[in-house]
C-alpha cells in the first residue's frame, strides 16, 4: 500500500523555547480517513503547519506520497490540499476569484480552473454565491469555501484542521457526507476535530497527540475495544426518590427520572435491568453518557499528563 | 513546477494585484492625480510663473518630470507594501505559501503589480501635466528605462517594509518619515546647483536625486548628475534588494512560524 503521509522524528521548538513537537512519528496510508486528535496546544496545528510548510520544523522528515517536503517541495505541495482552522482568504475578493486564483498558484490552465471551480462550488453549495465577496458569507459558507479552494488542484491528500468548528449540525452532517464521498473516490483525508463523535463516525484510524507526543496511534475499532468502562444514562418511567440498589452496579440518581450507571467491559446489562425490574423501576430509554471515543481520549490524555513533568504552555 | 505552470502562477499574481488596485481605484489612482494636479497648479502655474526659468526651462517644464517620478515611486511602494501586508494581516498570503509557486515568482508577481500601479499613476499624471505644459522627449529609452527601474526598486522596498511590518502603522512610517523627505529633497522642485556646495554634496547622497535627474534628462536633456552613474546605482540597488527580498521569503522571516 502507498504511504500518503510519512512523518519521522518531527520536532518543533519555537523561538520562545516552547517545545511543541518532541519527535513525532506518524504514517497515514493512501485512502485512509485519519483522525488526529488532541487537546488544545497539544501540537496538532503545529504538525499540520509543518506538513504544509507554514511552520518551519526544527528536525525530522516529512514526505507526502514519497515527496520530501524539503527536497521536492513543489511535487509534495501538489499532492496536498489544506483547510486551515482560521479563515485565510482575502475578505474583499469574490468566492470565484479566490478559488480560481488558487488554481493559478498550482499552474492550472484557466479552462481547467473554471471547470473545476464550477464543479466544487456546486458540490459545496456555493455556486450561487460565486460573485459574492468572501466577507459577506456566513461562517459555514466560509468553511466550505476553504474546502473548495483546497480541492481545486485535486490533491491526493486533504488535511482539514477542525473543519466543522462553529458549524451547525445540519451543515456538519452535509460536510461529513461530502468528505466521505471524496474519500470513497480515493482522496486520503486527515482530520483534526474536537467533536469526537465526528472522528468516530468518519475515521478508520486515529492518532492522539498530547504535549507534543503521539500517545496512541491505532484503528478507531481497536481503540474502542480498549474501552474498559462505559457510563450509561437510563431514563425511568417512575419518578425516583432515592438511588435504587442493584448488586455489582453503582447507580447515581441524576434527577428523579434519570439514573447513571458505570458498566465494566464484559459486564452483563441483563442483571442490571432485572434488578431494577424487581424494584418496579422501568427503563424507557438508555444512551451513552459521553461519546465512547471521548471517554478514551480523556483517559489517554489524563494518563499522559500524569506521566509528564509540569510544563508551562506558552506556544 | 514547469515553465508554463510558473508563467500561469506569475500571471495569476499580477492579475490579482492589478485587479486589487483597479477595484479600489478611488483610493489608489485618484488621490495621487489630485495631489499632482495641485502641485502643477500651485508650484507650476501660480508660484512657478514668478520663479522664472530653471536650467534654461520654465519652472513648470522643470518640475513636471520630478512630479511624475514622485508619483511613480510613491505609488509603486504603496501598492506592494499595502497589498502584501494586507495579505499577511488577513493570512491570505498562506494561499501562496502552501502552493508550489516558487518564491521568486511570488516576489516577481508583487513587484510587477507595484510597477503596474506606479506606471498607471505616472501615465495619468503625465496626461494631466499636458494641460499645463508641453512635454518634449529628449531620450525615450532613458525616460522609459529609468521610470521602470525606479518603479521596480520602490516596489522591492515596499516588499521589505511589508515583510517587517507588524501593524498598519508600520507601513506608513517609512513613506512618511523616509520617502517623503528624500523625494522633496531629491531635486524634484529645484536644481541642486542652486544649493551651497556643502548641501550639494549632501544631496548627492540621496538616491532619489539620481532617479529624478535621470528621468528629467530623458525628458528635457538636463541633469545635475551623471546619468550613467544613476543607471548603475539604481541597477545595483535593484539587484541587492531583489536578493534580500528573496532571502526573506526563503527564510520565511515574519511569514512562517
Amino acid at each position: 500500500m502507498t504511504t500518503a503521509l510519512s512523518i519521522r522524528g518531527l520536532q518543533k521548538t519555537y523561538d520562545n523555547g516552547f517545545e511543541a513537537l518532541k519527535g513525532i512519528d506518524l504514517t497515514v496510508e493512501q485512502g485512509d480517513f485519519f483522525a488526529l486528535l488532541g487537546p488544545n496546544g497539544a501540537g496538532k496545528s503545529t504538525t499540520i503547519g509543518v506538513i504544509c510548510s507554514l511552520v518551519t520544523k526544527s528536525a525530522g522528515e516529512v514526505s507526502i506520497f514519497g515527496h520530501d517536503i524539503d527536497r521536492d517541495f513543489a511535487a509534495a505541495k501538489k499532492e496536498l490540499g489544506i483547510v486551515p482552522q482560521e479563515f485565510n482568504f482575502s475578505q474583499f475578493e469574490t468566492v470565484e476569484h479566490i478559488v480560481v486564483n488558487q488554481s493559478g498558484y498550482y499552474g492550472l490552465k484557466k479552462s481547467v480552473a473554471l471547470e473545476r471551480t464550477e464543479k466544487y462550488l456546486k458540490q459545496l453549495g456555493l455556486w450561487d454565491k460565486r460573485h459574492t465577496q468572501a466577507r459577506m458569507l456566513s461562517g459555514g459558507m466560509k468553511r466550505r469555501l476553504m474546502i473548495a479552494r483546497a480541492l481545486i488542484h485535486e490533491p491526493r491528500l486533504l488535511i482539514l484542521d477542525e473543519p466543522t468548528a462553529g458549524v451547525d449540525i445540519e451543515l456538519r452532517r452535509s460536510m461529513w457526507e461530502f468528505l466521505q464521498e471524496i474519500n470513497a473516490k480515493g482522496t486520503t483525508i486527515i482530520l483534526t476535530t474536537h467533536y469526537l463523535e465526528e472522528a468516530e463516525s468518519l475515521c478508520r484510524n486515529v492518532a492522539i497527540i498530547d504535549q507534543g507526543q503521539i500517545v496512541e496511534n491505532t484503528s478507531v475499532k481497536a481503540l474502542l475495544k480498549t474501552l474498559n468502562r462505559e457510563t450509561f444514562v437510563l431514563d425511568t418511567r417512575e419518578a425516583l426518590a432515592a438511588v435504587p440498589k442493584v448488586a455489582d452496579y453503582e447507580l447515581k440518581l441524576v434527577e428523579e427520572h434519570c439514573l447513571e450507571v458505570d458498566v465494566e467491559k464484559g459486564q452483563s446489562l441483563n442483571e442490571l435491568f432485572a434488578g431494577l425490574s424487581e424494584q418496579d423501576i422501568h427503563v424507557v430509554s438508555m444512551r451513552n453518557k459521553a461519546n465512547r471515543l471521548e471517554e478514551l481520549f480523556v483517559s489517554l490524555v489524563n494518563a499522559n499528563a500524569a506521566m509528564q513533568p509540569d510544563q508551562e504552555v506558552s506556544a | 513546477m514547469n515553465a508554463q505552470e510558473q508563467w500561469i502562477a506569475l500571471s495569476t499574481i499580477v492579475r490579482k494585484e492589478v485587479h486589487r488596485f483597479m477595484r479600489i481605484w478611488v483610493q489608489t489612482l485618484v488621490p495621487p492625480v489630485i495631489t499632482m494636479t495641485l502641485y502643477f497648479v500651485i508650484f507650476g502655474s501660480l508660484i512657478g510663473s514668478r520663479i522664472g526659468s530653471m536650467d534654461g526651462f520654465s519652472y513648470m517644464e522643470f518640475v513636471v518630470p520630478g512630479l511624475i517620478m514622485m508619483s511613480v515611486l510613491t505609488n509603486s511602494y504603496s501598492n506592494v507594501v499595502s497589498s502584501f501586508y494586507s495579505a499577511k494581516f488577513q493570512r491570505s498570503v498562506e494561499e501562496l505559501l502552501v502552493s508550489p509557486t516558487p518564491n521568486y515568482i511570488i516576489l516577481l508577481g508583487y513587484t510587477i503589480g507595484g510597477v503596474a500601479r506606479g506606471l498607471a499613476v505616472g501615465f495619468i499624471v503625465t496626461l494631466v501635466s499636458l494641460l499645463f505644459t508641453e512635454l518634449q522627449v529628449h531620450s525615450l529609452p532613458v525616460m522609459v528605462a529609468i521610470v521602470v527601474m525606479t518603479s521596480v526598486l520602490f516596489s522591492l522596498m515596499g516588499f521589505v517594509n511589508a515583510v517587517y511590518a507588524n501593524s498598519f502603522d508600520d507601513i506608513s512610517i517609512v513613506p512618511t518619515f523616509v520617502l517623503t523627505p528624500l523625494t522633496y529633497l531629491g531635486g524634484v522642485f529645484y536644481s541642486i546647483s542652486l544649493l551651497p556646495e556643502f548641501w550639494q554634496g549632501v544631496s548627492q547622497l540621496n538616491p532619489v536625486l539620481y532617479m529624478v535627474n535621470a528621468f528629467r534628462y530623458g525628458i528635457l536633456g538636463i541633469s545635475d548628475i551623471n546619468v550613467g552613474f544613476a543607471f548603475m546605482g539604481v541597477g545595483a540597488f535593484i539587484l541587492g534588494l531583489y536578493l534580500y527580498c528573496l532571502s526573506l521569503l526563503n527564510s520565511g522571516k515574519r511569514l512562517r512560524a
Side-chain angles (χ1 to χ4, degrees), chain B residues 51-218:
Chain B
I51 292 175
S53 67
M54 181 91 61
D55 287 350
F57 291 90
S58 72
Y59 189 66
M60 179 62 101
E61 285 174 313
F62 180 85
V63 87
V64 162
L67 291 175
I68 293 171
M69 196 53 126
M70 190 164 123
S71 62
V72 170
L73 64 89
T74 51
N75 279 280
S76 300
Y77 188 95
S78 300
N79 196 71
V80 180
V81 74
S82 57
S83 177
F84 197 73
Y85 180 71
S86 294
K88 248 177 70 174
F89 182 77
Q90 295 184 77
R91 299 180 59 178
S92 60
V93 71
E94 291 177 4
E95 293 176 337
L96 274 165
L97 298 179
V98 303
S99 79
T101 305
N103 288 334
Y104 69 86
I105 294 287
I106 296 175
L107 181 58
L108 201 55
Y110 274 93
T111 304
I112 294 173
V115 170
R117 175 165 152 197
L119 295 185
V121 171
F123 179 70
I124 300 170
V125 169
T126 305
L127 290 181
V128 172
S129 74
L130 294 176
L131 300 173
F132 297 89
T133 184
E134 285 183 9
L135 206 61
Q136 56 176 299
V137 177
H138 175 73
S139 169
L140 189 63
V142 169
M143 193 184 91
V144 172
I146 198 66
V147 80
V148 171
M149 286 173 74
T150 302
S151 189
V152 168
L153 180 62
F154 278 84
S155 296
L156 291 169
M157 287 167 66
F159 191 88
V160 175
N161 191 174
V163 169
Y164 280 99
N166 284 321
S167 68
F168 281 100
D169 287 341
D170 291 347
I171 66 173
S172 63
I173 286 173
V174 175
T176 306
F177 295 105
V178 181
L179 283 189
T180 305
L182 284 179
T183 310
Y184 276 62
L185 298 172
V188 171
F189 298 103
Y190 56 84
S191 164
I192 62 165
S193 62
L194 299 176
L195 300 174
E197 201 169 321
F198 173 77
W199 290 109
Q200 284 187 31
V202 172
S203 293
Q204 285 177 5
L205 298 174
N206 180 355
V208 176
L209 178 80
Y210 296 86
M211 300 166 209
V212 167
N213 271 278
F215 188 62
R216 186 173 285 134
Y217 176 82

Side-chain angles (χ1 to χ4, degrees), chain A residues 247-286:
Chain A
D248 299 330
Y249 293 94
E250 194 177 326
L251 287 149
K252 281 183 275 188
L253 186 61
V254 180
E255 52 183 270
E256 61 180 11
H257 283 281
C258 185
L259 290 167
E260 255 182 38
V261 59
D262 290 333
V263 179
E264 300 295 327
K265 187 178 181 182
Q267 194 175 9
S268 166
L269 288 170
N270 290 358
E271 289 161 22
L272 171 66
F273 290 125
L276 291 171
S277 294
E278 282 171 14
Q279 299 171 58
D280 282 335
I281 298 170
H282 295 89
V283 176
V284 291
S285 69
M286 175 179 140

